[in-house]
């Protein structure tokens, strides 16, 4: 038996076997997480720091395009924010609408597959595959397909014009509508899958019990099904909102005009077309922090521990 | 601790091994789950560890199996110190409370698991034989999820037994079964243990199970062994209020020793004189607690006329259970005394009747005077 | 009640149609005798299916994407599974920090991940190409793997490992005989998800690939000039392969279940 005084000041009364067992567990734990954590530290945490540093770089007088030196130019943030705050707000706005739409469309899908088709595993399996398989057909290809389906010469636009829902000179593409529809479409599986996973565990006997206790179907939906699937909805909304806010493929392919530009597009063009690294970095950082703030508020308000 | 008073352990058989725990303590942070436990289980014993929930039974088993390291003390099996030996090197197998069958393996593969790890060339044949022993050979190819609770339990038992461990640990293996299956499995377990002669450590909180199956019963409470010994001895002569109340029921009365004669203590209990054999008392002077089991008491409408060991009171509750009628009698100055009588056609006493309660002095037992009289009473 | 009865299947069903419309479109136009631009229907042909590598760079970019996807998935799955195991089963210091480090990439939009990695690579002076993409994909796939596998690990009864140890299996054997087989479905699911995400990723790739062409990048770049019909063919073929793989898997497990029920 060893008796040592541990750091906390409490007397450490563990035996050598206990200490050894604990050390072994600790060591195995470290071995298991260390390689992955190293990768995350080197290629996620460190890059974010580098990005932060880069956002403060300054352009020396008379420098060539793309030449910057380390500095501490907070003004970079003022410059990009004053120029691009509309795009930033629009990104969040579009992402929010797309998330709500995806939830409204996705919940019935998840419910259909997870609960209604529980007794039909084959059909359930096929629909589940249909949710995942689109990933493999390339989302840019699908977005491009939407562009062509919704094109001015396309069947849908023509039909809408024929019944005069769409004015003769109206467009479906190059509109905020098209961009939001594209975002909704592309991130729908991210909404459905977590909800599906949650509803899959829903015990339908609970609903029967509720019905037995005189709850109307509406009532038992809002009192049981919805609260029980809350963690799934929570995860789904985050998994939809976050990538949607940063996306620029949809706005580039389906929008591509001044009133659909999203912040991702701006960051991309700052980086690659304008070669304004500090500006692009500052915008990226602003985007990251605003999302973290929004997500934190959201988690505080509605969060379950389950996600973390 | 009164453990030193009790155990006279029965004759040993071969093939199992002695298990000895010396000064075992287990702490989880500040909480002490097992306190300074000493235990010697001779080989071939069916040993039952009995106690209320949370008293440290599983923790004790886990330390024997090597799944948890003790904070103090040492464990030896067959004379060899295994305290620092990892679980997979100990000649011990466990039947887990939740069975812990491997869900991805068939029943047969489950049973053969330990044998294969030991590189037994006849693993499969022995596993098959093990399944035959528990009468499940026909289900060898099923997955555990396709078995009933009782069948799973038997697979868990076979999986542990085929390895012929020197010590077999059973952590409430019958807890999940219904009454009928439980009785049947108890018989089977006892038969198997007698056949193979292994050392069984059986944890349970069913006192009847412990008493019918075990050679030795240890009653555990708050991390300590209160008392251990053969079931009958534990029942007839409890040494603490906890054991007296936890194992069956007892009537306990506080009194003062007023004299001794011919090996008997005379105790004054609220004005009544109660006699108690001196060798059945933990403490022989001052304040003591006198106990008597309900079935030892005769309930009568007329006094026995004896000067000792008789109380009188008013019946406050009568309940008919079929073979017996149970009474609760309020004795002034003492409190409630429970007893019962066999239903042999006599007119039962009714609530409000005055009755006499008497018993033979040899049935009394004496506990320390500072005991809490309600220790171990089940709610 | 009536409302709920038809509401769910109808809305759910329509949503599935919505999900499949562009895929059907891609599929149909993979048979278009398109010539240079695949924008309008010019007549049916088998050519694109007979000769998928007909258009320049289509197959090359597909091969690149597959390769990156497989390598990144292998690395991310291995590292992520280890982390998930370590997080659930073992105690060590810096847990909080570890949790943050795992969750943050999930809460970071792809542009930011891409941009920060680009900043890092620029800083290190690394040339953008195959390995920088593999690294980038590994990072964002890993968090998904961890979250998926961790759920599986925490639903695994720790008693099973103890039972294995009790039955003479060393920690290593207990892992390979008991823990790993039970985690395998979760690991496979995580790997598939990871591959799908990598294969389909455009934004992060676009930041970190330099001149290295991946399939999504190829399509994005050629979108302005017109996407060759061969790309539609490949998109459709990938979709069908994925569909078949999962359906066959399902049928096998369904059969197995049926067979077990008979025993
Ligand atoms: N790993 C642990 N960490 C902290 N406390 C623990 C741990 N394991 C057990 N304990 C505590 O130790 C005490 C004894 O637990 P143990 O499982 O041995 O009880 P038990 O007698 O088997 O009870 P039951 O009959 O309910 O199974 C309990 O109070 C329990 O909360
Ligand atoms: Mg227990």
């Amino acid at each position: 038996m060893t008796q040592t005084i541990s750091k906390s000041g409490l007397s450490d009364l563990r035996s050598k076997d206990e200490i050894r067992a604990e050390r072994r567990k600790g060591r195995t734990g470290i071995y298991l997480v260390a390689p992955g954590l190293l990768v995350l530290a080197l290629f996620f945490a460190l890059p974010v720091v580098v990005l932060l540093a880069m956002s403060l770089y300054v352009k020396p007088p008379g420098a060539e395009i793309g030449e910057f030196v380390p500095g501490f130019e907070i003004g970079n943030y003022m410059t990009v924010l004053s120029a691009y705050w509309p795009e930033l707000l629009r990104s969040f706005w579009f992402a929010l609408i797309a998330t709500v739409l995806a939830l409204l469309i996705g919940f019935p899908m998840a419910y259909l597959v997870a609960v209604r088709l529980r007794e039909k595993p084959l059909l359930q399996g096929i629909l589940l595959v249909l949710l995942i398989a689109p990933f493999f057909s390339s989302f840019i290809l699908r977005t491009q397909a939407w562009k062509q389906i919704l094109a001015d010469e396309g069947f849908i636009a023509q039909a809408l014009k024929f019944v005069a829902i769409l004015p003769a000179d109206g467009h479906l593409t190059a509109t905020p509508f098209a961009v939001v529809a594209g975002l909704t479409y592309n991130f729908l599986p991210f909404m459905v899958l977590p909800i599906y996973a949650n509803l899959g565990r829903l015990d339908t006997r609970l609903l029967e019990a509720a019905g037995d206790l005189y709850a109307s179907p509406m009532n038992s939906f809002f009192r049981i099904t919805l609260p029980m699937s809350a963690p799934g909805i929570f995860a789904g909304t985050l998994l939809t909102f976050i990538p949607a806010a940063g996306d620029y493929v949809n706005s580039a392919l389906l929008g591509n005009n001044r009133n659909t530009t999203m912040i991702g597009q701006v960051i991309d063009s700052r980086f690659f077309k304008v070669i304004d690294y500090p500006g692009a970095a500052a915008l990226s950082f602003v985007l990251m922090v605003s999302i973290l703030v929004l997500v934190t508020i959201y988690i505080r308000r509605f969060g379950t521990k389950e996600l973390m | 601790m009164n453990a030193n008073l009790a155990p006279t352990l029965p004759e040993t058989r071969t093939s199992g091994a002695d298990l000895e725990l010396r000064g075992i303590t287990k702490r989880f942070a500040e909480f002490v789950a097992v306190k300074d436990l000493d235990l010697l289980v001779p080989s071939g014993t069916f040993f039952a560890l009995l106690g209320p929930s949370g008293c440290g039974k599983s923790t004790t088993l886990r330390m024997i199996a090597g799944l948890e390291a003790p904070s103090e003390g040492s464990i030896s099996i067959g004379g060899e110190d295994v305290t620092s030996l990892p679980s997979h090197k100990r000649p011990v197998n466990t039947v887990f409370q939740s069975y812990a069958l491997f869900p991805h393996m068939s029943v047969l593969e489950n049973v053969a698991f330990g044998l294969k790890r030991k590189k037994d060339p006849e693993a499969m044949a022995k596993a098959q034989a093990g399944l035959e022993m528990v009468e499940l050979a026909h289900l060898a190819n099923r997955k555990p999820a396709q078995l009933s609770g009782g069948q799973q339990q038997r697979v868990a038992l076979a999986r542990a037994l085929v390895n012929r461990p020197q010590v077999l640990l059973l952590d409430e293996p019958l807890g999940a079964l219904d009454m009928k299956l439980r009785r049947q499995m108890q018989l089977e377990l006892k038969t198997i243990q007698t056949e193979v002669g292994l050392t069984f450590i059986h944890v349970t909180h069913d006192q009847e199970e412990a008493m019918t199956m075990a050679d030795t019963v240890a009653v555990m409470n708050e991390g300590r062994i209160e008392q251990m010994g053969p079931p009958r001895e534990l029942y007839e002569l409890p040494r603490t209020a906890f054991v007296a109340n936890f194992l069956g029921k007892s009537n306990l009365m506080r009194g003062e020793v007023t004299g001794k004669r011919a090996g008997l203590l005379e105790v004054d209990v609220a004005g009544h004189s109660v006699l108690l054999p001196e060798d059945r008392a933990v403490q022989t002077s001052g304040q003591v607690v006198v106990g008597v089991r309900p079935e030892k008491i005769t309930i009568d409408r007329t006094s026995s006329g004896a000067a000792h060991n008789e109380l009188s009171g008013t019946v406050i509750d009568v309940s008919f259970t079929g073979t017996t009628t149970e009474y609760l009698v309020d004795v002034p100055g003492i409190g409630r005394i429970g007893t019962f009588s066999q239903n042999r056609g006599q007119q039962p006493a009714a609530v409000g009747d005055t009755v006499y309660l008497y018993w033979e002095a040899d049935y009394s037992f004496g506990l320390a005077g500072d005991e809490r009289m309600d220790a171990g009473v089940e709610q | 009640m009536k409302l709920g009865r038809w509401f769910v299947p109808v809305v759910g069903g329509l949503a599935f149609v919505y999900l499949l419309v562009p895929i059907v479109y891609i599929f149909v136009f993979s048979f278009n005798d398109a010539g240079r631009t695949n924008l309008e229907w010019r007549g049916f042909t088998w050519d694109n299916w007979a000769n998928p590598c007909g258009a320049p760079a289509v197959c090359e970019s597909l091969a690149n994407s597959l390769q990156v996807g497989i390598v990144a998935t292998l690395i991310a799955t291995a590292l992520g599974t280890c982390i998930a195991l370590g997080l659930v089963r073992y105690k060590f210091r810096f847990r909080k920090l570890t949790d943050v480090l795992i969750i943050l990439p999930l809460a970071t939009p792809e542009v930011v991940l891409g941009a920060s990695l680009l900043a890092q690579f620029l800083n290190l002076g690394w040339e953008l190409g195959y390995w920088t993409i593999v690294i980038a994909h590994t990072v964002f796939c890993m968090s998904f793997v961890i979250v998926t596998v961790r759920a599986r690990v925490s639903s695994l009864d720790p008693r099973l490992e103890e039972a294995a140890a009790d039955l003479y299996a060393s920690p290593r054997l207990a892992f390979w005989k008991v823990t790993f087989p039970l985690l395998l479905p979760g690991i496979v699911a995580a790997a598939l998800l990871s591959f799908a995400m990598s294969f389909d990723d455009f934004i992060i790739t676009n930041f970190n690939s330099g001149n290295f062409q991946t399939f999504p990048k190829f399509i994005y770049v050629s979108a302005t000039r017109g996407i060759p019909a061969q790309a539609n063919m490949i998109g459709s073929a990938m979709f069908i392969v994925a569909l078949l793989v999962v359906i066959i898997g399902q049928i096998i497990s369904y059969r197995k279940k049926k067979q077990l029920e008979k025993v």
Side-chain angles (χ1 to χ4, degrees), chain B residues 57-59 97 171-172 203:
Chain B
K57 307 182 295 288
S58 296
T59 307
Q97 191 160 6
D171 191 353
E172 296 194 49
V203 158

Side-chain angles (χ1 to χ4, degrees), chain C residues 76-228:
Chain C
T77 308
L79 295 178
T81 301
C82 287
I83 289 195
L85 272 170
L87 281 179
V88 180
R89 280 295 157 82
Y90 299 96
K91 279 192 256 173
F92 51 91
R93 271 177 281 176
F94 315 121
R95 269 196 80 110
K96 278 265 158 59
L97 192 75
T98 311
D99 277 342
V100 172
L101 211 52
I102 289 160
I103 291 294
L104 264 188
L106 290 174
T108 309
E110 286 189 41
V111 240
V112 181
L113 278 178
S116 61
L117 265 172
L118 175 63
Q120 164 92 326
F121 292 140
L122 284 175
N123 220 30
L124 291 173
W126 288 9
E127 197 177 325
L128 299 179
Y130 177 74
W131 282 109
T132 52
I133 308 181
V134 168
I135 289 172
H137 285 198
T138 302
V139 169
F140 82 82
C141 288
M142 203 153 74
S143 291
F144 277 96
V145 173
I146 295 169
V147 171
T148 314
V149 176
R150 185 164 63 172
R152 190 97 192 173
V153 181
S154 32
S155 69
L156 191 68
D157 184 0
R159 292 269 177 283
L160 293 176
E161 275 168 34
E162 293 182 353
D166 186 64
L167 293 162
Y168 318 113
S170 62
R172 180 183 302 257
L173 261 179
F175 176 80
W176 288 113
K177 292 277 173 192
V178 175
T179 315
F180 184 73
L182 290 172
L183 291 183
L184 195 58
I187 295 174
V188 169
L192 283 178
L193 179 69
S194 170
F195 178 78
M197 308 259 298
S198 162
F199 182 77
D200 204 19
D201 178 74
F202 169 71
I203 295 179
I204 293 179
T205 313
N206 194 36
F207 273 92
N208 294 293
S209 58
N211 293 324
F212 191 85
Q213 195 80 307
T214 64
F215 188 60
K217 214 178 136 192
F218 168 78
I219 297 168
Y220 188 79
V221 172
S222 48
T224 41
R225 289 179 275 119
I227 297 168

Side-chain angles (χ1 to χ4, degrees), chain A residues 2 11 33 77 111 142 146 154 164-165 178 188 196 222 278 286 301:
Chain A
T2 46
S11 150
V33 297
Y77 281 86
Y111 191 84
R142 281 177 290 138
W146 272 122
I165 290 177
L188 191 56
Y196 163 79
F222 282 106
V286 168
R301 180 74 184 74

Side-chain angles (χ1 to χ4, degrees), chain B residues 243-257:
Chain B
V243 176
N245 289 321
F246 187 75
L247 209 65
K249 285 178 182 163
S250 291
N251 294 300
L252 300 181
M253 305 157 253
R254 214 181 285 282
E256 190 81 30
V257 177

Side-chain angles (χ1 to χ4, degrees), chain C residues 46-59 62 228-231 233-234 237:
Chain C
W46 285 108
D47 285 357
N48 308 318
W49 284 78
N51 187 13
C53 296
V58 179
C59 282
L62 175 69
Q230 279 84 354
M233 176 268 150
I234 286 170

